[in-house]
Each structure stands twice: as structure tokens, then as C-alpha cells.
């Protein structure tokens, strides 16, 4: 049974599982950002190393940089050049401290450019809607989220964050390939459970 608890970059669902009994019935499907970057950026009520027992990695995924079709960039090298010529280039993202937020911050830092970061609350639907409408210039998101918009011509993919191209977007270069040599950002999801604690029985 799936009990979706979205919000706060995965920390809401993570806190529930961290405080649950280790009875084998409660598991956490967590993204890498919730376990990796978020604990270093905000104070949490749980410890990601102490309060979870890792079970397995579920998947590994790359994300995609997309722009509004009116943006004259067809790869990340052209986006960098555009950002240097037009410092007000904007990018949307669904919430501060999210992995995508940090990825683009890292991209901008390595490229020596500045962007106007426009945060949105909750899921990415509002962020994508504004990108499609041309209110912002670019964003980064999962392939499954942006692929329908790319296929419909409403967005243009300009770069993949992983070490190789995606089979679903064979003509889209990686960011390392056309823009920033060596750049790589790979996300993942994992299964975790509440840990057994000394003096606490799983049947209590």
C-alpha cells in the first residue's frame, strides 16, 4: 500500500518512517536529495545515517535541461554563452534545496554564469506551465516529466546530466559532451526501513 507524503524535499515522509517501529511493514522510498543534500542544508528531526536501515537501491536516473523554444540555445554550451551575454536568464524549479536546485547552482558556478532562480511550491506542474508559457527560460527535471512536452514541441531539450546520452533522447548531448567537460549529476531512489534499536523489540 502506497502512502504518498510529498513535500519539503522528501523530509515529511522520511520523518514518518524514521519514527516508525521496525516491524517490516513500513518502508521508505526516498530520493537521493532527501538523504544526501537536504541533511546538510537544513535542520532535521532525524539523522539519515542513524534512523534508517538501507535495503536496496531502486533505480538510477539522469535528468534533462529544457528550455522554452524561443530561447536560442540548442545545447548547454550555447546556453552558457547566452547566459554570459544575458545575465537575467531565468530558470524555474520546484522548491529550494531540492537536488535539481543544487544541480543547476553547481552548473552555473562551474560555467561562471549567473541565473535568476524562480522557485515554485509543491510539484513541478506550475514550474513547467510557466516555462511552456515563456515566463521563464529553462528548468531541469526528470525525463518522464518533460518528455511529453519535448515530443509536442512545447519545450526543447538541450542537455542530459548523466555520463551518457539517453536512449529516449538520442540526439540530445550530455552537458559534459557539449558545454562543461566532466559535469555529471546522477540521481537515485532507495528503499529504507526504520532500524532495530537496542532495547526495542520489533514486536513491541
Amino acid at each position: 500500500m502506497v502512502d504518498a507524503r510529498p513535500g519539503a524535499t522528501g523530509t515529511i515522509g522520511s520523518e514518518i518512517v524514521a519514527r516508525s517501529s521496525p516491524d517490516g511493514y513500513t518502508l521508505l522510498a526516498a530520493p537521493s536529495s532527501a538523504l544526501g543534500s537536504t541533511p546538510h542544508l537544513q535542520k532535521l528531526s532525524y539523522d539519515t545515517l542513524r534512523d534508517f536501515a538501507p535495503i536496496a537501491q531502486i533505480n538510477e536516473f539522469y535528468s534533462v535541461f529544457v528550455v522554452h523554444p524561443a530561447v536560442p540555445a540548442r545545447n548547454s554550451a550555447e546556453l552558457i554563452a547566452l547566459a554570459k551575454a544575458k545575465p537575467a536568464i531565468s530558470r524555474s524549479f520546484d522548491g529550494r534545496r531540492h537536488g535539481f536546485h543544487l544541480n543547476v547552482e553547481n552548473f552555473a558556478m562551474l560555467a561562471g554564469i549567473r541565473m535568476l532562480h524562480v522557485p515554485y511550491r509543491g510539484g513541478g506542474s506550475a514550474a513547467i506551465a510557466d516555462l511552456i508559457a515563456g515566463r521563464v527560460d529553462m528548468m531541469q527535471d526528470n525525463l518522464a516529466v518533460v518528455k511529453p512536452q519535448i515530443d509536442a514541441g512545447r519545450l526543447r531539450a538541450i542537455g542530459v546530466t548523466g555520463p551518457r546520452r539517453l536512449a529516449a533522447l538520442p540526439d540530445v548531448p550530455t552537458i559534459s559532451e557539449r558545454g562543461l567537460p566532466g559535469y555529471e549529476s546522477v540521481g537515485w531512489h532507495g528503499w529504507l526501513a526504520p532500524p532495530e534499536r537496542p532495547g526495542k523489540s520489533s514486536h513491541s
Side-chain angles (χ1 to χ4, degrees):
M1 182 179 70
V2 177
D3 182 7
R5 299 297 183 100
T9 321
T11 59
I12 295 175
S14 298
E15 181 176 16
I16 292 171
V17 175
R19 300 291 172 251
S20 298
S21 297
D23 55 12
Y25 290 97
T26 303
L27 302 177
L28 173 68
S32 49
S33 58
L35 301 170
S37 57
T38 301
H40 299 283
L41 298 172
Q42 65 186 81
K43 186 176 181 180
L44 301 174
S45 62
Y46 54 87
D47 186 302
T48 54
L49 298 178
R50 181 194 65 212
D51 294 330
F52 297 108
I55 299 172
Q57 181 175 316
I58 302 172
N59 65 358
E60 182 179 275
F61 61 91
Y62 317 149
S63 53
V64 184
F65 278 23
V66 291
V67 298
H68 184 271
V71 175
R74 300 203 170 260
N75 54 58
S76 54
E78 292 181 2
L79 179 70
I80 291 169
L82 180 65
K84 288 181 177 179
K86 179 190 173 187
I89 190 169
S90 59
R91 53 85 48 152
S92 62
F93 63 99
D94 55 338
R96 295 183 186 277
R97 304 188 183 97
H98 194 283
F100 293 160
H101 178 195
L102 300 180
N103 289 344
V104 180
E105 288 280 10
N106 186 45
F107 171 83
M109 180 184 68
L110 294 174
I113 61 176
R114 298 184 67 180
M115 294 183 179
L116 174 62
H117 298 279
V118 184
Y120 290 78
R121 297 185 64 182
S125 57
I128 292 176
D130 274 5
L131 179 59
I132 292 172
R135 298 186 184 95
V136 289
D137 297 316
M138 69 157 292
M139 72 178 297
Q140 174 191 2
D141 214 322
N142 295 321
L143 175 66
V145 175
V146 298
K147 184 66 161 56
Q149 310 303 331
I150 296 170
D151 292 343
R154 289 187 284 266
L155 297 178
R156 180 192 306 128
I158 63 168
V160 175
T161 65
R164 63 188 66 87
R165 296 190 182 196
L166 291 167
L169 297 172
D171 297 328
V172 180
T174 66
I175 291 173
S176 177
E177 184 183 350
R178 293 292 302 275
L180 284 178
Y183 178 90
E184 183 179 317
S185 176
V186 180
W188 49 265
H189 290 85
W191 285 116
L192 301 99
E196 286 279 1
R197 295 182 175 87
K200 182 175 182 180
S201 169
S202 61
H203 301 291
S204 61

